[in-house]
Amino acid sequence: MTITDGDAGERLDRFLARRLAGSGLSRSRIAAAVEEDLILVDGRSTSKSHRLRPGEIVVVSAAALAEPEPCDPLTPREHPGVRVLHLDDDIVVVDKPPGLVVHPGHGHPDDTLLNALAARGISLAVVADPARPGVVHRLDRDTSGVLVLARNRPAHLHLSRQFARHSAERRYEALCYGVPQPPAGTIDEPLGRHPGDRKRFAVVTGGRRAVTHFRVLQRLQSSCLLECRLETGRTHQIRVHLAHRGHPLLGDPVYPSRSSERLSRGLPLVGQALHAKALGIVHPSSGVTLSFTSTPPPGFQETLTLLRAPRD
């Protein structure tokens, strides 16, 4: 592909995502192909963020478009807490329990949701990262609830576009310290890596736009039950946004305040009190809108009952 004046200044990965939209080549796969020198500019290696110049020639190797194979097949390992809500040739929708990591990584080589699905013979699409087949969105380890995974490449692309365009419906229930005022609203604050701790995220100038809509469902003892609706889906988004507003999630070990820690002591929570209650998507093949819901796990419900009880 020869770069024209109209393409000049665009990032290489964005240019290719646009030009190759029909091929199923995702941005993450494009990035990997650039690193593997399967995509060259004027015959030279480059980076995904390379700004294109008029007259440059971009060559994409056929290997970049090939369906990647897993480097290491997932080790089947059953987890009885995983409940399958829907399964067909294109997607699998699950109800994830708290305490379970979605995909293998450091410290969790084979005790993940993907390993549990492998144990049940449910195959997933390998599109970008071979270690994360089927993954188009994630839930934190201690966040429970509804999650969809793709079983083939077209479904993966279709779902990824829904999440990128914010057309998928994602509603969460959360238990947070205090009661936001006003009791309903929108948090529109950019998120990025915490300047002092790369393992955490924070509201930072110049970060990626993040939008959370919330409303108070019930006032409780020094806390409340919130419904949160995601417009964007940044890492730790709800947790960071609420902590930034002074209302950290109960049980959150990463973004607590002293007050939320005191209130959380002794509560039967597994990590932060956050549950992905509802997910709405358009089915990749049929075009039918599908909606799935999940009941919060026992620890969440028991905590809710305790906080509803009148004080002595």
Side-chain angles (χ1 to χ4, degrees):
M1 293 167 280
T2 301
I3 302 305
T4 65
D5 290 339
D7 303 320
E10 189 172 15
R11 283 172 55 119
L12 175 62
D13 55 352
R14 291 176 182 168
F15 166 78
L16 290 172
R18 175 170 55 83
R19 288 289 299 270
L20 302 175
S23 70
L25 199 62
S26 66
R27 284 273 293 276
S28 56
R29 179 57 189 155
I30 289 170
V34 171
E35 291 180 0
E36 296 164 8
D37 290 339
L38 297 178
I39 296 175
L40 303 176
V41 176
D42 281 349
R44 296 188 298 271
S45 301
T46 186
S47 69
K48 65 179 182 179
S49 60
H50 171 75
R51 296 288 178 176
L52 297 169
R53 294 186 289 271
E56 288 182 326
I57 297 176
V58 178
V59 176
V60 180
S61 167
L65 301 174
E67 188 82 29
E69 296 295 330
C71 297
D72 297 299
L74 291 167
T75 302
R77 182 170 175 180
E78 182 58 272
H79 191 295
V82 175
R83 190 162 64 97
V84 175
L85 304 178
H86 176 91
L87 177 65
D88 60 35
D89 291 340
D90 295 303
I91 62 173
V92 56
V93 181
V94 301
D95 189 354
K96 186 186 87 66
L100 183 65
V101 175
V102 170
H103 57 76
H106 180 69
H108 297 276
D110 60 5
D111 55 341
T112 74
L113 172 65
L114 297 191
N115 297 104
L117 295 179
R120 302 182 191 188
I122 299 175
S123 60
L124 299 169
V126 180
V127 176
D129 186 344
R132 303 178 185 182
V135 176
V136 292
H137 71 127
R138 287 174 284 179
L139 298 177
D140 296 335
R141 180 184 65 186
D142 293 331
T143 299
S144 54
V146 188
L147 184 77
V148 62
L149 299 110
R151 302 199 63 203
N152 55 59
R153 190 168 184 152
H156 192 286
L157 178 63
H158 196 284
L159 290 171
S160 296
R161 285 176 173 168
Q162 291 183 56
F163 284 103
R165 295 169 181 171
H166 316 311
S167 61
E169 180 192 17
R170 287 173 287 177
R171 286 187 290 118
Y172 292 71
E173 284 191 351
L175 294 171
C176 74
Y177 176 78
V179 181
Q181 294 297 331
T186 297
I187 305 174
D188 186 347
E189 298 280 5
L191 300 184
R193 293 284 181 182
H194 192 287
D197 185 350
R198 298 292 295 172
K199 294 182 179 180
R200 301 172 64 206
F201 291 82
V203 171
V204 295
T205 302
R208 301 179 71 188
R209 186 171 186 242
V211 182
T212 304
H213 306 283
F214 69 90
R215 66 186 180 99
V216 174
L217 298 179
Q218 188 176 8
R219 294 170 182 261
L220 306 164
Q221 293 181 31
S222 303
S223 59
C224 71
L225 174 65
L226 278 182
E227 179 183 79
C228 297
R229 182 172 60 83
L230 289 184
E231 183 172 320
T232 58
R234 310 304 179 201
T235 302
H236 296 180
Q237 178 173 313
I238 294 174
R239 300 165 66 185
V240 176
H241 269 169
L242 290 175
H244 180 71
R245 288 290 183 93
H247 302 287
L249 297 185
L250 299 185
D252 195 330
V254 181
Y255 304 101
S257 66
R258 291 181 180 178
S259 297
S260 70
E261 283 185 317
R262 283 196 298 270
L263 185 59
S264 299
R265 291 191 190 115
L267 294 177
L269 290 169
V270 178
Q272 66 274 356
L274 184 62
H275 178 71
K277 182 179 182 179
L279 175 69
I281 57 170
V282 174
H283 191 275
S285 293
S286 69
V288 174
T289 299
L290 303 177
S291 297
F292 304 94
T293 58
S294 163
T295 301
F300 190 111
Q301 296 188 64
E302 291 167 16
T303 296
L304 186 55
T305 298
L306 289 171
L307 295 174
R308 280 172 174 161
R311 296 178 181 177
D312 294 334

